[in-house]
Amino acid sequence: MSSPTTPPGSVQRGSPWSQELISHLQPYATLHHVQRGEQFDFCIKGQGMCYLIIEGSVALYRRSNNMLLSTANSPAVFGLANMTDIYFDDYFKTIKPCTIGVLPIDKVNDICKENDLWGLVSRHMMFVYNRLYHHVMPAGAPTAYELIRKQLLELMDEDEGFRARITAEKYIRDKTQLSRSGVMRILADLKAGGYVEMKEGRLIKIIKLPAKY
């Protein structure tokens, strides 16, 4: 089987293995058609859950501080880390109407055993953790501006519909927990300097972000 590839110059956001995993798991999943703003937990009454994002997009949050970790578009698979006995008790919310397949992680484990899917699961998890390490977790001790600059670039890469519904200030604070006053001051300076185009607090366009503030 050949590996999924990404065209030169493009950015691979989602796992290239998600659709193949969904094709194996969807026949055993319960499908839900949900609206924007619905919350799904990775652990329910001590039971790990697996979610197949078949259509739509979601935002992943850390439960301990409600920090926005990342967003994902379909196809995507969440919850496979809970195949171990160490449950990740985080959650995600739907950004737009979604079709989501739900099944207990114990059932996923059985399916993987019966169909010898461990290689596929491993490739998927390595991609997910690599993206988490390089794109979500900050390297070293960045300054407030460096954090804001990084999040503005990531916000620009988000789905246009998502960008239209969230202010740049909220997106940045949800992902960094910087102070509102500090974020607003730097955004105002960037807008005044002609580095970004914003309307009613929402990011429209990045002209050129300076490396240093």
Side-chain angles (χ1 to χ4, degrees), residues 168-169 187 191 196-205:
E169 173 265 332
L187 288 178
K191 183 179 179 181
V196 297
E197 181 181 338
M198 299 178 66
K199 183 178 181 180
E200 297 180 346
R202 289 160 175 79
L203 181 64
I204 305 300
K205 182 180 179 181

Side-chain angles (χ1 to χ4, degrees), residues 13 17 20 39 41 73 88 90 107 124 132 170 187:
R13 287 176 55 85
W17 313 106
E20 188 174 354
Q39 178 174 319
D41 300 317
N73 298 320
F88 290 83
D90 294 326
K107 181 62 178 178
H124 172 78
L132 177 69
K170 178 171 173 51
L187 288 178

Side-chain angles (χ1 to χ4, degrees), residues 21-71:
L21 279 167
I22 288 174
S23 68
H24 286 286
L25 300 176
Q26 185 174 341
Y28 305 91
T30 301
L31 293 186
H32 297 268
H33 301 283
V34 299
Q35 298 303 309
R36 180 168 65 93
E38 296 287 334
Q39 178 174 319
F40 291 82
D41 300 317
F42 289 127
C43 186
I44 300 177
K45 296 181 180 179
Q47 170 67 63
M49 304 301 295
C50 178
Y51 298 99
L52 316 176
I53 313 303
I54 299 168
E55 294 182 7
S57 56
V58 301
L60 175 65
Y61 292 86
R62 181 185 296 151
R63 186 178 300 278
S64 60
N65 56 8
N66 294 315
M67 177 181 285
L68 174 61
L69 297 176
S70 184
T71 60

Side-chain angles (χ1 to χ4, degrees), residues 147-202:
L147 285 173
I148 291 171
R149 183 181 189 276
K150 179 177 184 293
Q151 297 309 323
L152 283 173
L153 292 170
E154 292 192 3
L155 177 56
M156 199 65 222
D157 195 40
E158 297 281 6
D159 179 81
E160 184 176 354
F162 178 64
R163 281 193 287 114
R165 289 192 296 269
I166 190 169
T167 64
E169 173 265 332
K170 178 171 173 51
Y171 181 85
I172 292 167
R173 288 206 302 126
D174 281 354
K175 294 188 70 178
T176 65
Q177 298 195 323
L178 293 169
S179 71
R180 184 177 187 277
S181 60
V183 172
M184 292 297 288
R185 174 175 54 83
I186 291 177
L187 288 178
D189 288 347
L190 289 173
K191 183 179 179 181
Y195 296 107
V196 297
E197 181 181 338
M198 299 178 66
K199 183 178 181 180
E200 297 180 346
R202 289 160 175 79

